Amino acid sequence: MANDPDLWIWMGDNIYGDTEDMELMQAKYEEQKSRAGYQALIKDVPVIGIWDDHDYGVNDGGKEYPLRKGSKALMLDFLDVPADDPVYSHDGAYQAYTYGERDRMIKVILLDTRYFRDTLTTDTTGQGRYIPGQGDVLGEAQWQWLEQQLTNSVARLHLIGSSIQVIAEEHGWEKWANLPAARQRLFDLIVSTKARGVFFISGDRHIAEISSMELAGLSYPLYDFTASGLTHTWSEARFEANKHRVGDMIYKKNFGIISFDWSNKDVEITFQVRGEADSLWLEEKIVL
């Protein structure tokens, strides 16, 4: 593989299930897993991941989806999550992994933005699909788990995976900003736990972009690196507002690469959006 990754993270829509037929969903996972390219990947590279809506089972779905327990089991099987992993002991599919040692330790926290999420508020004006409303994203048990993951961590960096975008707030599609109280709670938790070097990765949008914002009480800018997708993107360019965007928005088929330079006291992180033939379409370096 050209980029020789140390880890692959699925950020959702790993298949397009969109069904309440678990046999059909399992067949789609089996088809995905049997692909020669994917078999080559998992042979050499550790793989972890979380779902978004289409592999959860329903477009833009939340806690109302009736077969979420069965869907969870199929996803974890697809990902070859060991039977003794803590994810099996609780509702929802949220997980945490730690890589590296001492001052080069990275904790990867994968949030479940589907299993507990309240219903979104529909935009009746036709300008978008959703508008900000009331409700939660994570559910109380996951909130408490996330607080523990950040508070008790000795990691140098904390990569938080959210299938939907965290920082972007102007578009009318799915995003944390549709449930602003939950989004603010997430920001407040990052500040109050004093976890080092927090940043987000996200998917869902069929585009790639980097968003950044200043957060009161946080000594560094907060970033959200969105990369999607390998098979589904916009058919043509169109304008989409994002006051937090850094650089260009990429609508070609893409994947994200994150690399780390540990040679100095502060860690230099490089976000890259790449595509077919390993084309480089966007790059941003940050220091945490």
Side-chain angles (χ1 to χ4, degrees):
M1 281 164 279
N3 291 284
D4 192 24
D6 296 307
L7 178 70
W8 172 271
I9 306 177
W10 283 108
M11 284 307 302
D13 296 341
N14 311 324
I15 59 168
Y16 270 60
D18 297 300
T19 182
E20 294 184 9
D21 182 341
M22 293 296 100
E23 290 186 2
L24 176 59
M25 184 174 285
Q26 182 176 6
K28 290 185 175 183
Y29 271 125
E30 290 174 352
E31 180 182 3
Q32 177 77 300
K33 198 167 188 175
S34 68
R35 294 178 181 273
Y38 188 63
Q39 282 294 311
L41 175 72
I42 63 177
K43 179 181 177 181
D44 296 327
V45 181
V47 172
I48 61 175
I50 194 66
W51 53 25
D52 194 36
D53 52 348
H54 295 290
D55 44 349
Y56 177 62
V58 60
N59 185 43
D60 293 359
K63 66 181 183 182
E64 74 285 349
Y65 179 62
L67 294 178
R68 53 191 179 164
K69 290 183 182 292
S71 178
K72 171 186 172 181
L74 291 177
M75 180 189 67
L76 297 179
D77 182 62
F78 168 73
L79 294 169
D80 294 315
V81 177
D84 60 351
D85 191 281
V87 69
Y88 292 100
S89 67
H90 59 70
D91 287 336
Y94 51 90
Q95 307 152 60
Y97 301 87
T98 301
Y99 302 94
E101 298 179 351
R102 300 181 180 177
D103 290 338
R104 296 188 177 188
M105 183 180 293
I106 302 173
K107 176 174 278 192
V108 178
I109 300 172
L110 301 179
L111 300 180
D112 186 338
T113 65
R114 296 293 165 188
Y115 201 96
F116 308 98
R117 199 213 66 204
D118 290 319
T119 302
L120 301 178
T121 302
T122 301
D123 184 351
T124 58
T125 67
Q127 297 180 357
R129 184 172 291 173
Y130 303 110
I131 57 174
Q134 298 181 342
D136 192 17
V137 176
L138 299 185
E140 198 56 39
Q142 187 173 187
W143 279 115
Q144 296 304 319
W145 171 85
L146 176 58
E147 183 174 6
Q148 292 171 4
Q149 292 298 321
L150 294 174
T151 300
N152 300 327
S153 177
V154 297
R156 177 62 183 82
L157 296 174
H158 296 82
L159 185 165
I160 301 180
S162 167
S163 70
I164 57 173
Q165 288 184 304
V166 178
I167 292 180
E169 57 184 294
E170 293 171 85
H171 64 77
W173 307 96
E174 284 197 287
K175 56 188 183 296
W176 273 79
N178 290 331
L179 297 169
R183 180 173 180 260
Q184 188 59 51
R185 182 176 181 179
L186 179 62
F187 292 159
D188 291 345
L189 190 62
I190 292 170
V191 173
S192 66
T193 57
K194 296 181 172 59
R196 301 173 71 191
V198 176
F199 64 97
F200 292 98
I201 62 172
S202 56
D204 177 57
R205 293 295 327 289
H206 302 210
I207 60 167
E209 64 180 353
I210 299 168
S211 302
S212 177
M213 66 183 294
E214 299 290 334
L215 194 62
L218 199 66
S219 60
Y220 54 87
L222 190 62
Y223 281 84
D224 184 359
F225 179 29
T226 303
S228 71
L230 284 167
T231 61
H232 291 67
T233 55
W234 294 355
S235 59
E236 59 184 14
R238 61 180 183 264
F239 172 76
E240 180 175 280
N242 179 3
K243 63 185 178 182
H244 302 293
R245 184 181 298 128
V246 178
D248 297 327
M249 180 179 67
I250 307 300
Y251 69 93
K252 301 175 184 179
K253 293 178 183 178
N254 65 82
F255 61 94
I257 293 284
I258 306 173
S259 58
F260 304 90
D261 181 349
W262 303 91
S263 58
N264 298 309
K265 180 179 179 181
D266 293 326
V267 186
E268 183 178 80
I269 304 172
T270 301
F271 299 135
Q272 291 184 335
V273 177
R274 292 186 172 272
E276 293 184 74
D278 204 32
S279 304
L280 178 60
W281 290 325
L282 180 63
E283 182 175 70
E284 181 73 13
K285 295 180 183 293
I286 69 173
V287 176
L288 292 179

